[in-house]
Amino acid sequence: MNASLQCIWIKTYGCQMNQRDSDTLAAGLRAKGYTIVSNENDADIALLNTCSVRALAESKAIGKAGRLLKKKKKNPNYRVGILGCMAARLGKQLLQTLPELDWIAPPQALAKIPDWIQETLQKPSCCGNVLSDAGNFDFRCYEQALLPSPVLSIPIQQGCSMKCSYCIVPKTRGPQQNRPFASIIQEIQQAALQGTREVILLGQIVNAYRDPEQGKSFVDLLTAIQNIEGIERIRFVSPHPAYFTDELLQGLGRLPKICPALHLPIQSGSNRMLQAMHRGYTREKILQLVRALRTLHPLISLSTDIIVGYPGETEEDFEQTYDLFQTVAFDMAYIFKYSPRPTTPSASLKDAVPTVDTRTQEARNQRLLSLLNETSTRYNQQFVHTKQTVLVEGSAHRGEQKWFGRNLYNKKVIFEGTPSLIGSFQTIRITKATASALEGTRES
Ligand code: SAH
Ligand code: SF4
Ligand code: F3S
């Protein structure tokens, strides 16, 4: 290995899947002797793990890569790679904008990247290496141990075979592939031995999971994890409303380790828009599901994703979204302005359906954000004066002695403590609630 090329900085854009892929990559590179640094100025190699879901995510990464590549002028040995979803979408085309880029590799190639980086670094000049889509995803890369952590994200799927008309993910990550059941269980058992207490199962439609080897279902998986000693909490993102079966509802009632906090991306409250988006459910189905969930857990936390300004969205359609959001009273949400993604069906609607102008998009976005501010504050207020069990995750970066963890309902709780509390469950008496977090004091 070239001794001057050992310090790698990885920057992650996009979703939790990408974050977990970056952590896996870091583990693979560490195993080869590289040092992963948290400050970009300490690195001689920068890897950007990118996202294509909206235009803004891509332009940020391109801008960053451009600035990083300028470092080559002073240091010709400096290296920059673009990995992840944008590398899958644009591949070699990226070299037209960024000719000095050293590496381009899609998410499907994750397992191969550490070897490939090591090999290409042996060459006198590294520029323009492109790794192609490896076809079948090699899930074994997720079995290597990561740095110990009280909360661990566990990928159970790759890709997506749904046909949501606005979405680029099926193109960047390919069709849905499910990780073998045994590999998931093995990773979680191993993590439990290293101190992990909470797992978050990751996939684009987690509840459509099916074991490729023995056909076991998502609920079978949840049941098996329920029985793993040391794991106290189970979460999953994102379940798709169209795949929310009675079996899963019963599972939520039967398996106490599943946290009463669900992320249920609805995208819109207008049946006309839901149909145009090819989401496969109606607002009535959402309301029915929410009623069933609240019957199981009256306090359940419900969060969502919304797209405003989808082509053809009228004021009336938006009112339907506002109304559904208000009726359900989602206590957390990601609200996105529609961003046309090249090659998706909705991007080619351009002339057929009137687009929503930016100012209207912005106004709808703001209206939902202020509604969210009300619903989330109201939800969080109910915890004031209660005692919450919190799994301590780390420093709250708010002065030296502030630490944070989450309660069962996935709400961030900030309190005074010491680093030795990380990884333990603590009882916190809540004294204050805002739209985004709770604060409290530790009971001794
Ligand atoms: N698989 C998940 C979503 C993954 S993408 C699901 O189906 O729920 C994460 C979120 O990005 C989506 O829920 C959607 O709200 C948003 N999103 C996806 N494509 C988008 C686009 N073209 N413009 C704006 N937001 C988009
Ligand atoms: Fe995209 Fe739809 Fe798949 Fe979610 S379910 S990743 S929105 S295509
Ligand atoms: Fe995730 Fe963005 Fe890819 S949301 S799957 S990193 S396009």
Side-chain angles (χ1 to χ4, degrees), residues 100-282:
E100 287 186 284
L101 210 53
D102 298 283
W103 298 288
I104 300 171
Q108 293 84 342
L110 180 63
K112 292 186 186 164
I113 296 176
D115 277 340
W116 176 66
I117 289 200
Q118 193 174 38
E119 276 161 31
T120 47
L121 277 172
Q122 314 292 337
K123 296 194 216 161
S125 158
C126 188
C127 243
N129 293 288
V130 183
L131 204 57
S132 64
D133 178 337
N136 279 348
F137 189 87
D138 185 354
F139 284 103
R140 284 172 305 179
C141 64
Y142 292 133
E143 286 169 21
Q144 65 196 317
L146 303 185
L147 299 177
S149 169
V151 180
L152 189 63
S153 297
I154 311 281
I156 67 166
Q157 286 171 336
Q158 270 294 320
C160 181
S161 298
M162 300 296 279
K163 297 200 162 40
C164 303
S165 52
Y166 50 81
C167 184
I168 195 73
V169 173
K171 298 240 164 51
T172 60
R173 287 199 175 243
Q176 180 185 332
Q177 294 178 51
N178 295 305
R179 178 172 174 188
F181 194 93
S183 161
I184 300 171
I185 298 297
Q186 193 200 316
E187 186 188 356
I188 299 178
Q189 281 169 337
Q190 201 56 41
L193 293 176
Q194 286 200 0
T196 293
R197 295 290 164 260
E198 175 179 321
V199 288
I200 308 173
L201 309 180
L202 296 184
Q204 295 302 346
I205 29 169
V206 272
N207 46 341
Y209 174 82
R210 198 149 281 280
D211 174 23
E213 287 164 356
Q214 293 173 4
K216 292 181 187 163
S217 71
F218 183 57
V219 177
D220 293 335
L221 180 63
L222 294 171
T223 309
I225 301 170
Q226 166 77 36
N227 295 329
I228 297 178
E229 204 178 317
I231 299 299
E232 304 297 337
R233 289 179 174 181
I234 307 168
R235 304 187 197 275
F236 46 85
V237 278
S238 291
H240 192 294
Y243 281 81
F244 223 103
T245 56
D246 286 344
E247 189 205 5
L248 178 52
L249 266 173
Q250 283 155 15
L252 298 188
R254 182 169 52 85
L255 302 168
K257 288 183 183 173
I258 300 178
C259 296
L262 271 191
H263 187 65
L264 197 64
I266 61 166
Q267 315 300 353
S268 171
S270 150
N271 283 341
R272 213 174 65 84
M273 287 296 102
L274 288 171
Q275 198 172 21
M277 291 173 171
H278 290 147
R279 285 294 289 180
Y281 53 84
T282 59

Side-chain angles (χ1 to χ4, degrees), residues 13-15 17-18 50-53 85 168-169 172-173 204:
Y13 298 82
C15 62
M17 186 76 83
N18 247 22
T50 61
C51 171
S52 284
V53 83
C85 287
I168 195 73
V169 173
T172 60
R173 287 199 175 243
Q204 295 302 346

